[in-house]
Amino acid sequence: MKALFWQRGAPGGAAAFVFQERENLPVAGDSDVKVQVKACALSWMDTKLLSEMKLEKEFLPVGREISGVVLEVGSKVSFFQPDDEVVGILPLDSEESGVCEVILVHEHHLVRKPEKVCWVEAAGTLRDGVRAYTALHYLSHVSPGKTVLVMDGASPFGTIAVQLAQHRGARVISTAYSLEDKQCLERLRPTVGTRQPLVARVIDVSNGKINVAESCLEETGGLGVDIVLDAGVRLYSKEDESNLKSQLLPHKHDIITLLGVGGHWITTERNLQLDPPDSNCLFLKGATVSFLNDEVWNLSTVQQGKYLCILEDIMEKLSSNVFRPQLDEPVPLYEAKVSMEMVQKNQARKRQVIQF
């Protein structure tokens, strides 16, 4: 039985993804569930976070969002029985690789999968669903009538965030980094009710000439947006950025400018630096800045019940077609290494899912 791992300091000095043979599973605990994995989504590995958590083993497991069938349960497991269909995200310090046919998972990291949801979609939506719920519900409290700007709305995370915001009654604006992304966003429609586009306005920033702040202020009548979900920000001038994608990102001043009074800026930029004039502008607007780190749910068990409710709600939204994820074609196990290398280099535009 093979499992995929990330090897630090592989031959040649660079990190590499390798398969390892597993003869036997570790001894199951009383609260563990043995799961036959049917699908596993691949997500970018935050090596800096892993190092800060002192998870510096030579081999680190790859693949944490899984869907599968329960084979056996421990003596103290109360939520699941054999043959139940389940989904879940393995904790950050898990020693199990989701890219493996059979794994052990603690029952508190799993929820039931609806019958009508396929294995690939279940695994492929979990990560982006948790991020979207964290950003829109717990960091910014989205509600009907709010205006939400989702940067890079055609990305896997952006698509789910757009769908969740619109489902909650918000008016959505999004940016696109290519003509293909723009067309993708303009084609998004709700599954029920009005057939109006999910995105009220798509701002095409691919040529680098469109000012996002001006476009948002124009769209909101000068009031600004209530919630911003960025996909990274430019901290310096365009001339100081090394790659084209960074040059297309909005400057931090643009985001502060387009925020409305009492607005929420949800950022994925861990190295964000705010100068005194930036802080003063946010103070005058009564605006907030929050950092989006969806790993916090698994770093502490204080809010485990709330976290499981999020997973259940994601499955319900997927079952009712509120969520329609951006997934690539399912990847066979023998191509998992190549796909994970693409994911780690940020070369995969759609979510990669391994199908067993």
Side-chain angles (χ1 to χ4, degrees):
M1 189 165 55
K2 291 183 178 181
L4 186 62
F5 288 83
W6 179 55
Q7 182 181 6
R8 294 175 182 269
F17 296 101
V18 296
F19 278 111
Q20 286 191 329
E21 287 290 342
R22 299 185 64 189
E23 296 182 2
N24 298 302
L25 285 173
V27 178
D30 292 338
S31 300
D32 286 339
V33 177
K34 183 184 286 188
V35 178
Q36 180 182 2
V37 179
K38 295 292 187 179
C40 176
L42 301 178
S43 297
W44 180 76
M45 294 182 67
D46 190 339
T47 55
K48 186 173 182 179
L49 179 60
L50 291 170
S51 295
E52 290 173 350
M53 290 187 62
K54 310 300 181 186
L55 298 175
E56 297 181 335
K57 301 175 184 177
E58 182 183 359
F59 293 95
L60 289 172
V62 172
R64 293 169 52 209
E65 304 92 73
I66 59 102
S67 60
V69 178
V70 174
L71 297 177
E72 298 177 20
V73 297
S75 59
K76 294 184 179 179
V77 172
S78 56
F79 295 121
F80 304 105
Q81 297 293 332
D83 298 326
D84 283 348
E85 298 182 352
V86 296
V87 298
I89 301 178
L90 304 182
L92 200 60
D93 60 353
S94 172
E95 297 184 358
E96 296 279 351
S97 167
V99 186
C100 185
E101 293 179 359
V102 179
I103 62 173
L104 291 176
V105 191
H106 193 285
E107 68 168 334
H108 290 164
H109 295 295
L110 297 171
V111 296
R112 281 187 174 82
K113 179 187 77 68
E115 287 186 12
K116 63 185 295 187
V117 175
C118 73
W119 302 111
V120 171
E121 286 192 348
T125 309
L126 274 182
R127 169 74 57 188
D128 297 314
V130 170
R131 297 190 78 205
Y133 268 83
T134 305
L136 292 172
H137 280 275
Y138 294 98
L139 296 179
S140 60
H141 311 291
V142 68
S143 58
K146 294 286 183 73
T147 303
V148 179
L149 171 63
V150 179
M151 312 297 287
D152 194 12
S155 65
F157 166 61
T159 301
I160 297 297
V162 165
Q163 293 166 352
L164 180 59
Q166 197 276 340
H167 180 71
R168 294 301 187 199
R171 187 167 182 270
V172 182
I173 304 171
S174 185
T175 60
Y177 291 120
S178 67
L179 178 60
E180 183 182 359
D181 287 353
K182 183 174 185 288
Q183 293 172 342
C184 174
L185 288 167
E186 290 174 342
R187 287 195 301 266
L188 288 177
R189 295 288 191 278
T191 53
V192 295
T194 176
R195 302 307 292 169
Q196 293 296 318
L198 285 180
V199 183
R201 178 169 179 174
V202 180
I203 304 171
D204 186 355
V205 298
S206 59
N207 58 15
K209 297 178 181 179
I210 302 296
N211 187 298
V212 175
E214 290 180 1
S215 300
C216 288
L217 290 172
E218 175 188 332
E219 186 67 23
T220 58
L223 297 176
V225 303
D226 300 297
I227 300 169
V228 178
L229 271 64
D230 73 32
V233 294
R234 188 160 42 86
L235 303 178
Y236 313 104
S237 62
K238 287 186 178 182
E239 293 74 21
D240 295 328
E241 296 292 351
S242 57
N243 59 64
L244 178 61
K245 182 67 179 289
S246 297
Q247 293 175 10
L248 294 178
L249 293 174
H251 195 279
K252 59 181 178 179
H253 296 149
D254 295 331
I255 293 185
I256 293 172
T257 300
L258 63 83
L259 267 180
V261 173
H264 301 278
W265 174 10
I266 314 302
T267 182
T268 58
E269 180 54 65
R270 70 196 308 160
N271 297 317
L272 180 67
Q273 297 178 2
L274 296 178
D275 301 319
D278 302 329
S279 299
N280 185 57
C281 187
L282 290 168
F283 169 78
L284 293 173
K285 292 185 176 187
T288 63
V289 179
S290 299
F291 291 88
L292 178 56
N293 176 15
D294 54 285
E295 295 292 357
V296 294
W297 297 104
N298 275 316
L299 293 177
S300 171
T301 58
V302 172
Q303 302 190 74
Q304 190 74 14
K306 191 177 292 184
Y307 169 65
L308 292 178
C309 285
I310 293 175
L311 297 186
E312 289 175 346
D313 208 42
I314 291 168
M315 288 299 105
E316 188 275 324
K317 295 286 187 298
L318 198 54
S319 177
S320 58
N321 287 326
V322 172
F323 286 165
R324 284 156 290 151
Q326 287 274 53
L327 304 180
D328 216 332
E329 290 296 318
V331 179
L333 180 61
Y334 63 84
E335 292 183 3
K337 283 173 56 176
V338 176
S339 294
M340 189 60 209
E341 288 169 358
M342 290 174 55
V343 170
Q344 196 64 18
K345 294 176 182 177
N346 290 317
Q347 295 175 345
R349 190 58 181 152
K350 295 183 177 180
R351 180 66 65 200
Q352 305 291 302
V353 183
I354 308 301
Q355 186 174 35
F356 291 85

